[in-house]
Amino acid sequence: MHVLPYLIAAYVFLTGCYGLATSRNLIHAVGCLAVCQSSTYVLLLAVGYQNGATAPVFSDIKPGSRPVVDPVVQALTLTDIVVGATVTALLLALVLQIAKRHGTVDPDELRELRG
Amino acid sequence: MNRLRLALLAVGGAGLAALLVAACLDLPRFGARSHPYGTRAVHASLTRHTANTIASVNFDQRAYDTLGEMSILFAAVLGCVVLLRQARDEHRAQPQPAEVARPVRRYALIVLPVALVTGLYVIAHGQLSPGGGFQGGVVAATSLHLLYLGADYRALERVRPLAVYETSDALAVSSYLLLGLAGILAGTAFLANTLLPYGTFNTLTSGGTVPLLNAAIGIEVASAVVVLLANFLDQAVEIEEEHGSR
């Protein structure tokens, strides 16, 4: 089963999408978006994994003495985490204001515009 | 209406799932030996004397990309500050100090300095050991908030003059840009790691501009997280709606 980690990433992504589409609460929707995003961490790290390899940090191993996993995807994951966290914060701030102005966080009840 | 929506979701989801599975089957084998990008990134990192390859990728090989990432962080914090400001029909209430259980207070006050030093250590050793500006910044910023758990909100506000953190956030972003521009002034390219000597491998001063860019990011992330949490806490603790305004 050498595709299993990739399939797990796809499964996590689809689960997040299902949650987003059926969500009745905006905070829950933001959480589902975070689930979607975490699938990309699984995918990236699975792409960079190498059997028997260690972390690409050479402070305690001699360069070239043993294989290391792909550092590029790890750096991409780091970018992903930072962007995900900030976007989540921004969305939660929006939800807070929506809850204050409209008194609800159910997306189905937010139909009409209000000034 | 709702059933129609679910049916539409099922059709779209099934299609997407099929495409994703097809894509997964076409990906390189999990755990295989060949990683062309990784091998080249490790090589480039070693020629520039940076022990932590991930820091080298972030602050040297893809430093321009990190600039974008930093801008997203900055813009998101700015957005939160604007969204969560005090509205016209709200007022600030003085939060009342609450009783904190003794063990919680003791534990928070013991762990706070340890957590703060750990955060700063992780930032400072970003080019050597796992970690770096992003991770260390978050640890350092959240450690301050142990004061909120262990003492009360007033104590946190005293160690956290918001204007200082907002300014240092902006200054850290500018210093990252200035470090990039320094490369141009020195006759090479924007954010190219050719400005400083690479130093001795596996020491604090190795890696050329990597430790400096790393420190700039560390300060930015720490300030940004403090400002972000402060705005959310303000909403929960201080800002109250005027009665009968709705």
Coordinates of all heavy atoms in Angstrom, one line a residue, chain B residues 171-225:
Chain B
L171 N 8.4 47.1 12.3 CA 9.9 47.3 12.1 C 10.5 46.0 11.7 O 11.5 46.0 10.8 CB 10.5 47.8 13.4 CG 10.3 49.2 13.8 CD1 10.9 49.6 15.1 CD2 10.9 50.1 12.7
A172 N 10.1 44.9 12.2 CA 10.6 43.6 11.8 C 10.4 43.3 10.3 O 11.3 42.9 9.6 CB 10.1 42.5 12.6
V173 N 9.2 43.6 9.8 CA 8.9 43.5 8.4 C 9.8 44.3 7.6 O 10.4 43.9 6.6 CB 7.4 43.8 8.1 CG1 7.1 43.8 6.6 CG2 6.5 42.8 8.8
S174 N 10.0 45.6 8.0 CA 10.8 46.5 7.3 C 12.3 46.0 7.3 O 13.0 46.2 6.3 CB 10.8 47.9 7.9 OG 9.5 48.2 8.3
S175 N 12.7 45.5 8.4 CA 14.1 45.1 8.5 C 14.4 43.9 7.5 O 15.5 43.8 7.0 CB 14.5 44.8 9.9 OG 13.9 43.6 10.3
Y176 N 13.4 43.0 7.4 CA 13.5 41.9 6.4 C 13.7 42.5 5.0 O 14.6 42.1 4.3 CB 12.3 41.1 6.5 CG 12.4 39.7 5.8 CD1 12.7 38.6 6.5 CD2 12.3 39.6 4.4 CE1 12.8 37.4 5.9 CE2 12.4 38.4 3.8 CZ 12.6 37.3 4.5 OH 12.8 36.0 3.9
L177 N 12.9 43.5 4.7 CA 13.0 44.2 3.4 C 14.4 44.8 3.2 O 15.0 44.7 2.2 CB 11.9 45.2 3.2 CG 10.6 44.7 2.7 CD1 9.6 45.8 2.7 CD2 10.7 44.2 1.2
L178 N 14.8 45.5 4.3 CA 16.1 46.3 4.2 C 17.2 45.3 4.0 O 18.2 45.6 3.3 CB 16.3 47.1 5.5 CG 15.4 48.4 5.6 CD1 15.6 49.1 6.9 CD2 15.7 49.3 4.4
L179 N 17.2 44.1 4.7 CA 18.2 43.1 4.5 C 18.3 42.6 3.1 O 19.3 42.4 2.5 CB 18.0 42.0 5.5 CG 18.5 42.1 6.9 CD1 18.0 41.0 7.8 CD2 20.0 42.0 6.9
G180 N 17.1 42.5 2.5 CA 17.0 42.1 1.1 C 17.6 43.2 0.2 O 18.4 42.9 -0.7
L181 N 17.3 44.5 0.5 CA 17.8 45.6 -0.3 C 19.3 45.7 -0.2 O 20.0 46.1 -1.1 CB 17.1 46.9 0.1 CG 15.6 47.0 -0.4 CD1 15.0 48.2 0.2 CD2 15.6 47.0 -1.9
A182 N 19.8 45.4 1.0 CA 21.3 45.5 1.3 C 22.0 44.6 0.3 O 23.1 45.0 -0.2 CB 21.6 45.1 2.7
G183 N 21.4 43.5 -0.1 CA 22.0 42.7 -1.2 C 22.2 43.4 -2.5 O 23.2 43.3 -3.1
I184 N 21.1 44.2 -2.8 CA 21.2 45.0 -4.1 C 22.3 46.0 -4.0 O 23.1 46.2 -4.9 CB 19.9 45.6 -4.4 CG1 18.8 44.6 -4.6 CG2 20.0 46.6 -5.6 CD1 17.5 45.1 -5.1
L185 N 22.4 46.7 -2.8 CA 23.4 47.8 -2.6 C 24.8 47.2 -2.7 O 25.7 47.8 -3.1 CB 23.2 48.5 -1.3 CG 21.9 49.4 -1.3 CD1 21.8 50.0 0.1 CD2 21.9 50.4 -2.4
A186 N 24.9 45.9 -2.2 CA 26.2 45.3 -2.2 C 26.6 44.8 -3.6 O 27.7 44.2 -3.8 CB 26.3 44.1 -1.2
G187 N 25.7 44.9 -4.6 CA 26.0 44.6 -6.0 C 25.5 43.2 -6.4 O 25.9 42.7 -7.4
T188 N 24.7 42.5 -5.6 CA 24.2 41.2 -6.0 C 22.7 41.3 -6.2 O 22.2 42.3 -6.8 CB 24.5 40.1 -5.1 OG1 24.0 40.4 -3.8 CG2 26.0 39.8 -5.0
A189 N 21.9 40.4 -5.8 CA 20.5 40.4 -6.0 C 19.7 40.6 -4.8 O 20.2 40.4 -3.7 CB 20.1 39.1 -6.7
F190 N 18.4 40.9 -4.9 CA 17.5 41.1 -3.8 C 17.4 39.8 -3.0 O 17.1 38.7 -3.5 CB 16.1 41.4 -4.3 CG 15.1 41.8 -3.2 CD1 15.3 42.8 -2.4 CD2 13.9 41.0 -3.1 CE1 14.4 43.2 -1.4 CE2 13.0 41.4 -2.1 CZ 13.3 42.4 -1.3
L191 N 17.7 39.9 -1.7 CA 17.6 38.8 -0.7 C 18.6 37.6 -1.0 O 18.4 36.5 -0.6 CB 16.2 38.2 -0.7 CG 15.2 39.0 0.2 CD1 13.8 38.4 0.0 CD2 15.6 38.9 1.6
A192 N 19.6 37.9 -1.8 CA 20.7 36.9 -2.1 C 21.6 36.8 -0.9 O 21.9 37.8 -0.3 CB 21.5 37.3 -3.3
N193 N 21.9 35.6 -0.5 CA 22.8 35.4 0.7 C 24.2 35.5 0.3 O 25.0 34.5 0.4 CB 22.4 34.0 1.2 CG 23.1 33.8 2.6 OD1 23.7 34.6 3.1 ND2 22.9 32.6 3.1
T194 N 24.7 36.7 0.0 CA 26.1 36.9 -0.4 C 26.7 38.0 0.4 O 27.8 38.4 0.2 CB 26.2 37.2 -1.9 OG1 25.2 38.2 -2.2 CG2 26.0 36.0 -2.7
L195 N 25.9 38.6 1.3 CA 26.3 39.8 2.0 C 27.3 39.6 3.0 O 28.3 40.3 3.1 CB 25.0 40.5 2.6 CG 25.1 41.9 3.1 CD1 25.4 42.8 1.9 CD2 23.8 42.3 3.7
L196 N 27.1 38.5 3.9 CA 28.0 38.3 5.0 C 28.8 37.0 4.7 O 28.3 36.1 4.0 CB 27.1 38.1 6.3 CG 26.2 39.3 6.7 CD1 25.3 38.9 7.8 CD2 27.1 40.4 7.1
P197 N 29.9 36.9 5.4 CA 30.7 35.6 5.3 C 29.8 34.4 5.9 O 29.0 34.6 6.8 CB 31.9 35.8 6.1 CG 31.6 37.0 7.0 CD 30.6 37.8 6.3
Y198 N 30.0 33.2 5.3 CA 29.2 32.1 5.7 C 29.6 31.6 7.1 O 28.8 30.8 7.7 CB 29.2 31.0 4.7 CG 28.6 31.3 3.4 CD1 29.1 30.9 2.2 CD2 27.5 32.2 3.4 CE1 28.5 31.2 1.0 CE2 26.9 32.5 2.2 CZ 27.4 32.0 1.0 OH 26.8 32.3 -0.2
G199 N 30.7 31.9 7.6 CA 31.1 31.5 9.0 C 31.5 30.0 9.1 O 31.5 29.3 8.1
T200 N 31.7 29.6 10.3 CA 32.0 28.2 10.6 C 30.8 27.4 10.7 O 29.8 27.8 11.3 CB 32.8 28.1 11.9 OG1 33.7 29.2 12.0 CG2 33.6 26.8 12.0
F201 N 30.8 26.2 10.0 CA 29.6 25.3 10.0 C 29.2 25.0 11.4 O 30.0 24.7 12.3 CB 29.9 24.1 9.2 CG 28.7 23.2 9.0 CD1 27.7 23.5 8.2 CD2 28.6 22.0 9.7 CE1 26.6 22.7 8.0 CE2 27.5 21.2 9.6 CZ 26.5 21.5 8.7
N202 N 27.9 25.0 11.7 CA 27.3 24.6 13.0 C 27.7 25.5 14.2 O 27.8 25.0 15.3 CB 27.8 23.1 13.3 CG 26.7 22.4 14.1 OD1 25.7 23.0 14.4 ND2 26.9 21.1 14.3
T203 N 27.9 26.8 13.9 CA 28.1 27.7 15.0 C 27.0 28.8 14.9 O 26.3 28.9 13.8 CB 29.4 28.4 15.0 OG1 29.6 29.1 13.8 CG2 30.5 27.5 15.2
L204 N 26.8 29.6 15.9 CA 25.7 30.6 15.9 C 25.8 31.6 14.8 O 24.8 32.1 14.3 CB 25.7 31.3 17.2 CG 24.7 30.9 18.3 CD1 24.6 31.9 19.4 CD2 23.3 30.7 17.7
T205 N 27.0 31.9 14.3 CA 27.2 32.9 13.3 C 27.3 32.3 11.9 O 27.6 33.0 11.0 CB 28.4 33.7 13.6 OG1 29.5 32.8 13.8 CG2 28.3 34.6 14.8
S206 N 26.9 31.1 11.7 CA 27.0 30.5 10.4 C 25.8 30.8 9.6 O 24.8 31.2 10.1 CB 27.2 29.0 10.5 OG 26.0 28.4 11.1
G207 N 26.0 30.7 8.2 CA 24.8 30.8 7.4 C 24.6 32.2 6.7 O 23.6 32.4 6.1
G208 N 25.6 33.1 6.9 CA 25.4 34.4 6.2 C 24.3 35.2 6.8 O 24.2 35.4 8.0
T209 N 23.3 35.6 5.9 CA 22.2 36.4 6.3 C 21.1 35.6 6.9 O 20.1 36.1 7.4 CB 21.6 37.2 5.2 OG1 21.5 36.4 4.1 CG2 22.5 38.4 4.8
V210 N 21.2 34.2 6.9 CA 20.1 33.4 7.4 C 19.7 33.7 8.9 O 18.5 33.9 9.2 CB 20.4 31.9 7.3 CG1 19.4 31.0 8.0 CG2 20.4 31.5 5.8
P211 N 20.7 33.8 9.8 CA 20.3 34.1 11.2 C 19.6 35.5 11.3 O 18.7 35.6 12.2 CB 21.6 34.1 12.0 CG 22.7 33.7 11.1 CD 22.1 33.5 9.7
L212 N 20.0 36.5 10.5 CA 19.4 37.8 10.6 C 18.0 37.8 10.2 O 17.1 38.3 10.8 CB 20.2 38.8 9.8 CG 21.7 39.1 10.4 CD1 22.4 40.1 9.5 CD2 21.6 39.6 11.8
L213 N 17.8 37.2 9.0 CA 16.4 37.1 8.5 C 15.5 36.3 9.4 O 14.3 36.6 9.7 CB 16.4 36.4 7.1 CG 17.1 37.2 6.0 CD1 17.1 36.4 4.7 CD2 16.4 38.6 5.8
N214 N 16.1 35.2 10.0 CA 15.4 34.4 10.9 C 15.0 35.2 12.2 O 13.9 35.1 12.6 CB 16.3 33.2 11.3 CG 15.7 32.2 12.2 OD1 14.6 31.8 11.9 ND2 16.4 31.8 13.2
A215 N 15.9 36.0 12.7 CA 15.6 36.8 13.8 C 14.5 37.8 13.5 O 13.6 38.1 14.3 CB 16.8 37.6 14.3
A216 N 14.5 38.4 12.3 CA 13.5 39.4 11.9 C 12.1 38.7 11.9 O 11.2 39.3 12.4 CB 13.8 40.0 10.5
I217 N 12.1 37.5 11.3 CA 10.8 36.8 11.3 C 10.4 36.4 12.7 O 9.2 36.5 13.1 CB 11.0 35.4 10.5 CG1 11.1 35.7 9.0 CG2 9.9 34.5 10.8 CD1 9.8 36.1 8.4
G218 N 11.4 36.0 13.6 CA 11.0 35.7 15.0 C 10.3 36.9 15.7 O 9.3 36.7 16.3
I219 N 10.9 38.1 15.5 CA 10.3 39.3 16.2 C 9.0 39.5 15.6 O 8.0 39.9 16.3 CB 11.3 40.5 16.0 CG1 12.6 40.2 16.7 CG2 10.7 41.7 16.5 CD1 13.7 41.2 16.4
E220 N 8.9 39.4 14.3 CA 7.6 39.7 13.6 C 6.5 38.8 14.1 O 5.4 39.2 14.5 CB 7.7 39.6 12.1 CG 6.7 40.5 11.4 CD 5.8 39.7 10.5 OE1 6.2 38.6 10.0 OE2 4.7 40.1 10.2
V221 N 6.8 37.5 14.1 CA 5.8 36.5 14.5 C 5.4 36.7 16.0 O 4.2 36.7 16.3 CB 6.3 35.1 14.3 CG1 5.4 34.0 14.9 CG2 6.5 34.8 12.8
A222 N 6.4 36.9 16.9 CA 6.1 37.1 18.3 C 5.2 38.3 18.5 O 4.2 38.3 19.1 CB 7.4 37.3 19.1
S223 N 5.6 39.5 17.8 CA 4.7 40.7 18.0 C 3.3 40.4 17.4 O 2.3 40.9 18.0 CB 5.4 41.9 17.3 OG 6.7 41.9 17.4
A224 N 3.3 39.8 16.2 CA 2.0 39.6 15.6 C 1.1 38.7 16.4 O -0.1 39.1 16.5 CB 2.2 38.9 14.2
V225 N 1.6 37.7 17.0 CA 0.8 36.8 17.8 C 0.3 37.5 19.1 O -0.9 37.4 19.5 CB 1.5 35.5 18.2 CG1 0.8 34.7 19.2 CG2 1.8 34.7 17.0

